[in-house]
Amino acid sequence: MSKPVVITVDGKEITVPEGEILLWAALDQGIYIPHLCGIREAERPAASCRLCFVEIEGIPNPVTACTQPVQEGMVVRTRTPRVDRLVRTAFELLLSNHCLGCAKCPKNRNCELQKIAKERGLKLKLTRLRPLLKEVPRDESPDAFIYDPNRCVLCGRCVWVDHHQVKVGAIGFIRRGMERKVATFGDLKFAESRCTQCGECVKVCPVGALSFKKKEQEYASK
Amino acid sequence: MKTAGPAIVETYQQLKREARKKFEALKEKPLVLVGTATCGRAAGALNVLAAFREEISRNQLDAGVREVGCMGHCYAEPMVIIYKPGFPPLCYGPVDEGTAGRLVVDFLINDDPCFEFAIAALEPNDFFPTFSDYPRGIYENKIILANCGLIDPEDIDHYLAHEGYEALAKVLTMDPAAVVAEIKSSKLRGRGGAGFPTGIKWETCRNTSGTPKYVICNADEGDPGAFMDRALLESNPHQVLEGLIIAAYAVGASQGYIYVRAEYPLAVTRVKTALEQARERGLLGESILGSDFSFDIKIFQGSGAFVCGEETALIASIEGSPGIPNHRPPFPATSGLRGKPTVINNVKTLSYVPHIIRKGAEWFRSIGTENSPGTAVFALAGKVNNTGLAEVPMGTTLRQLLYDVGNGIKNDKRFKAVQIGGPSGGCLPESALDIPIDFDSLQQAGAMMGSGGLVVLDEDDCMVEIARFFLDFTQKESCGKCTFCRLGTKQMLDILTEITRGRGRPEDIDLLWELAEDIKAGSLCGLGKTAPNPVLTTIRYFRDEYEAHIQEGRCPALMCKELITYYIVPEKCSKLCNVCIGSCPVEAIYTRPDMLKAIYLDKCVKCNSCMVACPPQYQAVIKISPPIVEDKGDQAHEQTSGNNR
């Protein structure tokens, strides 16, 4: 539909459709930019995880790739000292509020936090920041899956799928600030809510917050 | 539309003539104006109002009593203005019910103006100084506050009698593009905080296609220590309405909103009344003043979330979603409320608009500085003598503002810092007192104009604690959407809390600084981008206080409770006095064998009661930092023996 344009990412010229969002354009070309909250089909990016920072020539400060439509001649750098520092801090902040202990997590080896750590050479433990996690109970009420808020990074992918793909509207974000979390309407247990337990939200969870029971049991026994 | 020009002006002139007549008639007999804005009410203005009414009716006087807004002299609330033919209009404050009674009997009946209760006269005369005879009057240049406290906010005729809606009548005969051009040429910058050029915002919205277009007045004032938007809405709501209607005409909007927080019930009531009256007079609604321009305004009451002052969050809130910001661009001017072009302006910004239209862009540019023309409205709060609202030209220095307008620091204490721009602003030290206040200079110093909140701090304020206080506010008000703001401010708050408790680590200052920089750079919206400012500026200007807390376990301002001990100096204490013992809520003070008093350290809850209670001739209670360690010094020995009693 739209004509292709040439942009430069990390010195490499790539051809992408004009107006495409930079994050997806780069990922399609095999250039990895850390991201958690991005949803390709979403009308408007949430831009909430603050991980996909890049520097673009002509823009003074780093910007998020998920909010940036590509333009002809755009020169992008995904790795600069400023970008690396922002990504590192954002990543560490997420870890400070995330239940660590990958060995016991059903998402081990398949977790996007692990992927970011690997790609960017970041540690999967807290070094300079203080742990902020207050352990809260998991919701094991559904037949097929478990919701563990202690592992949730608030990317919102589950909420988006629930609202826009399966169109049930069982879950959403509630409360503000540190209290913000994904919950069912009225903060009921999943089994008591209008959730149909279709499992689509579990499939898109990038970390171990929503996981199928079968998988969970495998790991819990380890 | 232009053919209707003369008709519009004539319709308006007719309204104004009638309003003038009505307003002038008021002053033919004695008139008492009582300031009943929220600040006045808090000080007891409603009782004063009732006292005047009762006293006047008891004496069967033919005198009017009216409620008005706030003149800005909140330190002198409740304030009263009395017009009596043959006397200069006089302003009194603080007035209580007793004074009210005396003013009625002595002044209204017996012609003694009671100068002893007066603050100033409103017009030059041979008997009493006016406001402009005080240092404050030299610096103050009131534009948007000019009529506040002098007109009845619930009577549209008072506003009309003071050139109100003249600018609206004028723009209706102009081409909308020319209105935008005028505002652009005035270089008016947004008074909500960021200082974005208003004209450019309007132009962008005007040039974007899409209907309907919206204009929104942002009255979601939430900064600790800021109250100027509230005062404007309570004192002169029509001025804001007129600005909003002009904005709508200029950009081609058909619907407007006033987004005001529900915690401002009086502002909501007065704006509601103003809207009804404006509709009645044909100044709002279908074909305004007989032109073919139709526009109406709704009030939207927010539930008081700080982040809802952010444009995109405010829009989400009106749309019925949680008030959570979205990334920009697209800016609301191109895609705002319901995806339509929307102009959002602060209460103060809109209040300037009628004045600029009436007196011209050049007049406005002649006030203030080149890049920040006009005046700045500040809410003076904290340890300053004359708390309240002040309007001074941009470029006035902080020193002039605090010492001349604000009349100096309370209780002759030493000035330490000023937190300017609310929680998003920064703490500026004494060395910054001579910088001119305008958008750019403040930004350079690490603070910002913000909404104009200005909290004055003195030697008793601990800068680490102040940074912690403001960060605690922003951390609690964070919507939690983005990583940096949700978790970053919490990290910073935890570090600051530990420092104020004497548990800071040497590397914490650098960590705070790094986190602050990253949160500023990485956050999604203005709340996160500015939240670290108090921390950055306090580290920048008061690093020694951070170091004292961390390295010496000492709070130099003697404010952080866990780093101080209360101590009774035996040489100053009197054997004859037991006041401190009576004041202590936890029985932590005891009488020593020599009849002097001392404190059990383990029982003391550091409530400060003994220090307040100790009579001024002794001043025997002091605070010590770092705190006394149990097994050192006389005091501790006695405390131990006391425990063994």
Side-chain angles (χ1 to χ4, degrees):
Chain A
M1 193 172 71
S2 51
K3 65 178 170 49
V5 294
V6 179
I7 64 169
T8 313
V9 182
D10 295 337
K12 205 170 88 181
E13 284 197 353
I14 57 173
T15 309
V16 295
E18 187 182 28
E20 169 83 301
I21 294 296
L22 176 60
L23 175 64
W24 310 118
L27 289 172
D28 284 350
Q29 300 284 333
I31 300 160
Y32 182 72
I33 298 172
H35 62 104
L36 284 172
C37 70
I39 295 158
R40 199 164 192 155
E41 299 79 19
E43 199 183 323
R44 193 171 184 174
S48 65
C49 71
R50 316 308 286 170
L51 284 167
C52 62
F53 279 105
V54 293
E55 284 205 66
I56 296 177
E57 240 168 57
I59 302 179
N61 294 311
V63 290
T64 44
C66 68
T67 56
Q68 213 61 41
V70 295
Q71 278 168 13
E72 176 68 45
M74 196 181 240
V75 180
V76 182
R77 282 179 296 166
T78 68
R79 301 297 301 266
T80 67
R82 285 207 293 173
V83 163
D84 286 355
R85 183 174 153 182
L86 280 178
V87 173
R88 177 186 160 211
T89 304
F91 183 76
E92 287 183 351
L93 285 171
L94 285 174
L95 284 196
S96 75
N97 196 35
H98 178 78
C99 176
L100 288 166
C102 297
K104 288 213 171 221
C105 175
K107 267 282 183 178
N108 193 9
R109 291 167 191 278
N110 189 21
C111 166
E112 292 195 30
L113 287 174
Q114 288 178 334
K115 183 173 182 184
I116 295 166
K118 196 175 152 216
E119 296 271 355
R120 291 283 162 128
L122 300 167
K123 288 199 180 85
L124 273 165
K125 63 175 186 187
L126 277 188
T127 47
R128 51 174 193 153
L129 301 183
R130 286 146 171 83
L132 297 177
L133 189 68
K134 283 186 231 138
E135 292 274 342
V136 291
R138 308 193 303 173
D139 182 0
E140 299 183 10
S141 68
D143 295 330
F145 66 90
I146 287 170
Y147 169 49
D148 183 355
N150 303 304
R151 291 206 168 97
C152 178
V153 289
L154 300 185
C155 70
R157 284 199 217 175
C158 52
V159 175
W160 190 85
V161 165
D162 177 56
H163 284 233
H164 294 91
Q165 273 181 353
V166 298
K167 295 189 163 59
V168 170
I171 51 174
F173 285 113
I174 64 165
R175 306 209 184 110
R176 288 198 293 167
M178 286 297 290
E179 303 289 309
R180 182 172 163 94
K181 65 170 190 171
V182 171
T184 60
F185 186 75
D187 205 4
L188 300 169
K189 282 193 182 299
F190 273 80
E192 294 159 17
S193 75
R194 60 184 293 182
C195 169
T196 58
Q197 302 194 16
C198 67
E200 289 303 311
C201 59
V202 185
K203 289 182 202 157
V204 294
C205 180
V207 293
L210 285 160
S211 53
F212 288 112
K213 273 188 175 165
K214 229 171 121 189
K215 189 105 179 157
E216 162 79 18
Q217 278 151 9
E218 255 170 58
Y219 273 85
S221 60
K222 275 188 186 174
Chain B
M1 198 176 299
K2 274 177 194 133
T3 49
I8 292 167
V9 172
E10 185 40 48
T11 316
Y12 168 73
Q13 290 299 346
Q14 182 61 30
L15 282 177
K16 184 171 159 182
R17 272 194 299 272
E18 282 165 21
R20 274 246 164 101
K21 233 165 58 201
K22 193 174 136 190
F23 187 75
E24 294 308 324
L26 263 184
K27 293 183 183 168
E28 283 167 10
K29 54 186 187 180
L31 174 66
V32 179
L33 303 180
V34 182
T36 59
T38 299
C39 47
R41 290 180 179 209
L46 291 181
N47 291 342
V48 172
L49 179 72
F52 269 109
R53 289 205 166 122
E54 199 187 306
E55 203 64 19
I56 285 171
S57 84
R58 210 160 55 87
N59 290 291
Q60 297 180 322
L61 289 181
D62 185 20
V65 181
R66 286 273 185 151
E67 287 183 55
V68 293
C70 171
M71 283 185 80
H73 299 261
C74 301
Y75 60 95
E77 294 281 8
M79 291 237 323
V80 168
I81 296 168
I82 298 183
Y83 289 87
K84 184 173 175 180
F87 291 88
L90 283 162
C91 180
Y92 301 87
V95 176
D96 57 18
E97 289 101 312
T99 324
R102 274 199 59 188
L103 283 169
V104 172
V105 177
D106 291 1
F107 187 17
L108 296 186
I109 300 176
N110 292 324
D111 285 351
D112 167 15
C114 299
F115 284 133
E116 64 271 34
F117 304 129
I119 303 176
L122 296 178
E123 287 162 14
N125 64 85
D126 297 334
F127 312 101
F128 208 76
T130 61
F131 280 115
S132 54
D133 294 323
Y134 295 102
R136 178 173 181 142
I138 297 169
Y139 295 101
E140 269 204 309
N141 179 359
K142 290 190 178 185
I143 299 173
I144 59 175
L145 293 182
N147 289 326
C148 294
L150 299 177
I151 61 171
D152 184 345
E154 304 205 16
D155 190 339
I156 190 171
D157 285 327
H158 286 212
Y159 183 63
L160 280 166
H162 290 84
E163 272 78 45
Y165 290 107
E166 190 175 300
L168 175 62
K170 185 174 167 188
V171 296
L172 290 176
T173 64
M174 286 165 73
D175 179 31
V179 181
V180 174
E182 187 76 13
I183 295 298
K184 219 174 139 187
S185 137
S186 76
K187 289 187 168 177
L188 172 66
R189 295 173 69 170
R191 290 323 200 245
F196 188 81
T198 306
I200 293 179
K201 207 185 238 185
W202 287 19
E203 190 177 54
T204 312
C205 180
R206 180 174 164 69
N207 292 343
T208 307
S209 55
T211 46
K213 288 179 183 172
Y214 299 102
V215 287
I216 299 173
C217 167
N218 183 349
D220 190 64
E221 184 175 55
D223 288 18
F227 43 87
M228 57 291 271
D229 290 355
R230 185 190 68 206
L232 278 167
L233 292 173
E234 288 175 354
S235 309
N236 198 355
H238 286 286
Q239 186 176 244
V240 185
L241 298 191
E242 189 179 2
L244 192 60
I245 302 169
I246 293 171
Y249 179 77
V251 304
S254 52
Q255 179 64 51
Y257 291 88
I258 295 183
Y259 189 99
V260 55
R261 42 176 52 212
E263 284 100 323
Y264 284 0
L266 183 64
V268 172
T269 313
R270 288 189 172 170
V271 171
K272 227 175 238 172
T273 309
L275 285 175
E276 280 161 23
Q277 292 178 348
R279 278 188 208 111
E280 271 167 32
R281 301 293 164 100
L283 295 160
L284 190 63
E286 293 294 317
S287 59
I288 291 173
L289 282 172
S291 70
D292 53 10
F293 172 59
S294 298
F295 170 73
D296 210 340
I297 299 172
K298 280 185 191 150
I299 297 177
F300 189 97
Q301 293 190 48
S303 51
F306 181 63
V307 71
C308 286
E310 202 276 344
E311 291 185 342
T312 55
L314 188 151
I315 287 171
S317 175
I318 296 187
E319 286 173 350
S321 307
I324 287 176
N326 257 309
H327 68 89
R328 305 184 304 173
F331 289 93
T334 52
S335 173
L337 185 61
R338 302 175 193 117
K340 304 295 180 190
T342 304
V343 160
I344 302 184
N345 283 142
N346 177 265
V347 171
K348 291 172 289 274
T349 317
L350 291 170
S351 296
Y352 283 106
V353 168
H355 300 275
I356 294 170
I357 296 294
R358 238 178 37 240
K359 300 185 194 163
E362 206 170 313
W363 159 83
F364 190 72
R365 282 201 314 271
S366 73
I367 303 163
T369 63
E370 163 127 37
N371 288 320
S372 302
T375 53
V377 178
F378 287 104
L380 301 178
K383 312 277 179 64
V384 61
N385 279 319
N386 289 3
T387 51
L389 293 181
E391 183 172 359
V392 294
M394 293 273 186
T396 308
T397 66
L398 269 174
R399 190 184 298 279
Q400 289 160 342
L401 186 61
L402 296 187
Y403 286 91
D404 295 321
V405 178
N407 200 15
I409 310 303
K410 263 184 194 158
N411 302 324
D412 289 323
K413 294 269 186 181
R414 213 167 61 81
F415 170 85
K416 187 181 231 175
V418 56
Q419 164 75 12
I420 187 163
S424 319
C427 288
L428 300 182
E430 199 165 3
S431 62
L433 277 181
D434 291 310
I435 62 167
I437 329 173
D438 61 61
F439 288 101
D440 308 313
S441 311
L442 284 176
Q443 199 125 35
Q444 249 168 18
M448 58 187 259
M449 189 68 118
S451 55
L454 202 148
V455 183
V456 181
L457 307 169
D458 69 9
E459 54 191 293
D460 294 336
D461 290 306
C462 166
M463 298 315 289
V464 187
E465 169 56 24
I466 293 296
R468 196 203 61 79
F469 171 84
F470 281 106
L471 206 72
D472 183 49
F473 176 82
T474 37
Q475 192 271 323
K476 283 193 182 123
E477 292 291 344
S478 165
C479 78
K481 179 180 181 177
C482 89
T483 305
F484 281 103
C485 186
R486 178 180 73 245
L487 300 167
T489 55
K490 176 71 176 149
Q491 284 284 351
M492 288 177 74
L493 178 64
D494 284 1
I495 297 171
L496 287 166
T497 307
E498 283 181 25
I499 296 178
T500 55
R501 291 187 178 158
R503 294 201 293 264
R505 303 183 298 214
E507 65 271 22
D508 277 347
I509 302 180
D510 290 338
L511 179 55
L512 269 177
W513 188 273
E514 280 170 31
L515 277 173
E517 283 183 336
D518 291 350
I519 295 166
K520 267 178 92 92
S523 289
L524 172 69
C525 87
L527 193 155
K529 280 182 195 297
T530 56
N533 284 345
V535 179
L536 285 171
T537 46
T538 47
I539 296 181
R540 179 162 155 196
Y541 296 118
F542 301 95
R543 199 185 177 101
D544 53 328
E545 290 198 29
Y546 279 83
E547 286 166 351
H549 281 75
I550 293 171
Q551 286 154 18
E552 303 162 42
R554 184 170 66 85
C555 175
L558 303 171
M559 192 187 194
C560 296
K561 274 193 177 181
E562 306 198 16
L563 299 184
I564 56 167
T565 311
Y566 280 81
Y567 178 66
I568 298 175
V569 183
E571 293 76 36
K572 289 185 168 180
C573 183
S574 163
K575 291 178 183 179
L576 304 172
C577 165
N578 279 324
V579 171
C580 56
I581 293 185
S583 78
C584 180
V586 293
E587 297 181 358
I589 305 179
Y590 64 99
T591 310
R592 313 196 310 187
D594 59 4
M595 298 306 283
L596 299 179
K597 315 299 172 299
I599 300 174
Y600 294 133
L601 293 189
D602 57 340
K603 278 193 182 175
C604 175
V605 291
K606 301 174 186 177
C607 69
N608 208 42
S609 301
C610 53
M611 201 159 174
V612 175
C614 185
Q617 65 266 38
Y618 304 134
Q619 294 191 336
V621 184
I622 58 164
K623 291 189 269 188
I624 295 172
S625 183
I628 295 170
V629 184
E630 296 244 355
D631 54 7
K632 266 188 220 161
D634 294 348
Q635 217 272 343
H637 273 296
E638 295 191 16
Q639 191 244 337
T640 327
S641 62
N643 273 344
N644 295 339
R645 83 209 117 119

